[in-house]
Amino acid sequence: MLYKYKRLLENVTNSNKVICHITGPSGAGKTTILGMLKSKYTQFEYMDLDDLEKMATESIKYIGIKRYQYTDDMYKKLHLEKQRIFNKLLNKSNKQWILAGHHTEYPRIYHSADSKVHIINGDGKNYWLDIPTDNRFFLEISPELSTQRFKSRSEKNGKSVSKDDMKLLKINAINVIKLFKK
C-alpha cells in the first residue's frame, strides 16, 4: 500500500512546499498512512488536517459550539482561519509537508457528546483549503466500509451509533466520495 508514496518520497523532485495530500472518506486510512510515513521519513513535516481544524476553532473561539450549530458565515470564518494558520505554518517551516485529511467544510460528520450523529451538508458554499501540491491521493473505500469503521471508532470512544445514524453515515460517505472524486 505504501509503494506509491515510497516512490514519490524517495525521489522528491517537486519544488512544492506540500509534497502530497492524502484524502478520502472516514475510515479510509488517512491517519494510519500518515503515521507510517512519519515514522519512516523524518525529513518532512506532517499534519493531520483535523489538527488544523482544532487550531482554527480555538483561535476564533468556537469552543463549546456544536459543529451542527454553525451558520454558513461561521464556516466561512473557520475556513479563512484554517487557511491563515496553514499558510503561516508552511511559510515558517524549512521542510516540505505531507498532509492527510479533509480539506473542505462540507459535507462533514459531527458526533456529539450525547452520541447523536449529525450530518452537516451546509447551506452555502463549499470552502476548500488552498493546498499547493500536484500530488493528491484519494483513498478508495466503499461507503459501507467507511460507515462501519466510523461506527467501530465511535464505539471504542464510548459512543453508540443507531441504525438511523448508520443510514445517515452511509449517505454522507457516498457524498464525500463524490465530492472528492470531482
Side-chain angles (χ1 to χ4, degrees):
M1 170 168 45
L2 292 178
Y3 177 73
K4 62 183 168 186
Y5 305 108
K6 182 179 179 189
R7 238 180 52 210
L8 173 70
L9 299 179
E10 289 179 352
N11 300 302
V12 174
T13 57
N14 114 19
S15 61
N16 288 342
K17 195 72 171 180
V18 178
I19 295 171
C20 69
H21 174 219
I22 304 163
T23 191
S26 180
K30 301 177 294 288
T31 304
T32 301
I33 289 173
L34 193 69
M36 290 174 173
L37 294 173
K38 190 175 185 176
S39 69
K40 184 166 172 94
Y41 300 98
T42 57
Q43 70 269 35
F44 303 114
E45 294 274 1
Y46 293 85
M47 179 182 282
D48 183 326
L49 293 178
D50 285 348
D51 295 335
L52 180 63
E53 180 145 344
K54 289 174 193 167
M55 287 185 260
T57 301
E58 290 173 6
S59 174
I60 58 178
K61 305 197 182 344
Y62 281 4
I63 300 163
I65 303 170
K66 307 289 188 222
R67 290 284 307 223
Y68 61 90
Q69 296 173 324
Y70 286 14
T71 64
D72 194 57
D73 285 340
M74 292 172 78
Y75 276 110
K76 182 176 182 179
K77 186 175 179 182
L78 177 64
H79 163 72
L80 292 171
E81 185 63 7
K82 284 168 58 175
Q83 190 71 59
R84 186 193 70 75
I85 292 169
F86 177 69
N87 292 343
K88 185 177 178 181
L89 289 170
L90 284 183
N91 292 332
K92 201 167 135 179
S93 174
N94 295 330
K95 294 183 178 182
Q96 289 179 302
W97 289 71
I98 298 172
L99 310 173
H102 290 187
H103 55 297
T104 182
E105 293 306 321
Y106 305 123
R108 297 297 290 242
I109 300 170
Y110 178 81
H111 204 157
S112 63
D114 64 0
S115 288
K116 180 67 182 145
V117 173
H118 303 272
I119 304 299
I120 306 161
N121 289 315
D123 54 348
K125 184 178 179 197
N126 190 352
Y127 303 106
W128 296 85
L129 277 178
D130 179 21
I131 297 175
T133 187
D134 296 326
N135 299 301
R136 294 190 197 282
F137 295 95
F138 179 79
L139 301 180
E140 289 277 346
I141 185 173
S142 72
E144 294 79 14
L145 186 54
S146 174
T147 301
Q148 188 55 49
R149 287 184 177 171
F150 182 90
K151 181 179 189 243
S152 295
R153 190 178 314 138
S154 295
E155 289 172 346
K156 283 181 187 173
N157 291 322
K159 296 180 179 182
S160 62
V161 180
S162 71
K163 286 184 182 182
D164 288 339
D165 288 343
M166 291 293 284
K167 290 176 190 172
L168 284 175
L169 291 168
K170 184 176 177 184
I171 291 167
N172 187 70
I174 290 166
N175 290 336
V176 168
I177 290 166
K178 283 181 189 173
L179 181 68
F180 287 140
K181 280 190 167 183
K182 285 185 181 180

